[in-house]
């Protein structure tokens, strides 16, 4: 079974930066796409960014494009989400998820495995 563990969340002032990590326990890391999602209180879960490990294709939500960068370290089986120029509206629980199909996008039902989430709070 695939396990995903997120880390790196915390409290930061607006304009600041955080880097989230998603460590995966998978046999063949490059068979997967890894997505980052977030959910704020009272709001629906939304996709933030995703990466295909096999070819490094990436995809970003419009709300974070230009501010967030997704990357992977295949040797460590870890995906990172570098978040810069953070805004209060980025406050949410951030989850990473793994998808073993060829799909790359933000439809949650494609993602078979989910981490437990890490809280990101951006103060104004």
């Amino acid at each position: 079974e695939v396990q995903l563990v997120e880390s790196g969340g915390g409290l930061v002032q607006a304009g600041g930066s955080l880097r989230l990590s998603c460590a995966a326990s998978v046999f063949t890391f490059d068979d997967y796409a890894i997505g980052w999602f977030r959910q704020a209180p009272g709001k629906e879960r939304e996709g933030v960014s995703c990466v295909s490990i096999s070819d490094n294709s990436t995809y970003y939500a419009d709300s974070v494009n230009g501010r967030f960068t997704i990357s992977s370290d295949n040797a460590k089986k870890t995906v990172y989400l570098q978040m810069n120029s953070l805004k209060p509206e980025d406050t949410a629980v951030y989850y990473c998820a793994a998808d073993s199909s060829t799909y790359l996008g933000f439809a949650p039902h494609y993602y078979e495995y989910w981490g437990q989430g890490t809280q990101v709070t951006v103060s104004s």
Side-chain angles (χ1 to χ4, degrees):
E1 181 177 336
V2 175
Q3 291 187 331
L4 303 171
V5 179
E6 303 99 334
S7 61
L11 173 64
V12 64
Q13 289 187 334
S17 299
L18 284 174
R19 189 178 79 157
L20 305 184
S21 300
C22 173
S25 65
V26 294
F27 184 71
T28 311
F29 191 51
D30 58 6
D31 282 350
Y32 289 83
I34 304 294
W36 283 99
F37 294 78
R38 66 187 182 186
Q39 188 165 20
K43 294 188 177 181
E44 293 188 355
R45 181 175 46 188
E46 63 172 347
V48 174
S49 184
C50 52
V51 60
S52 169
I53 302 302
S54 61
D55 65 9
N56 214 33
S57 298
T58 59
Y59 191 54
Y60 295 92
D62 289 343
S63 59
V64 306
N65 197 22
R67 300 188 297 122
F68 291 10
T69 303
I70 193 168
S71 62
S72 67
D73 183 331
N74 291 11
K76 295 182 178 180
K77 297 183 179 180
T78 298
V79 170
Y80 303 98
L81 185 68
Q82 178 66 45
M83 306 186 296
N84 298 330
S85 303
L86 282 162
K87 304 175 181 180
E89 52 263 43
D90 294 317
T91 295
V93 177
Y94 283 70
Y95 301 90
C96 68
D99 153 34
S100 63
S101 75
T102 57
Y103 172 79
L104 186 66
F106 295 146
H109 64 272
Y110 279 96
Y111 290 84
E112 301 134 281
Y113 306 99
W114 292 79
Q116 82 288 349
T118 185
Q119 176 71 46
V120 171
T121 303
V122 184
S123 63
S124 56

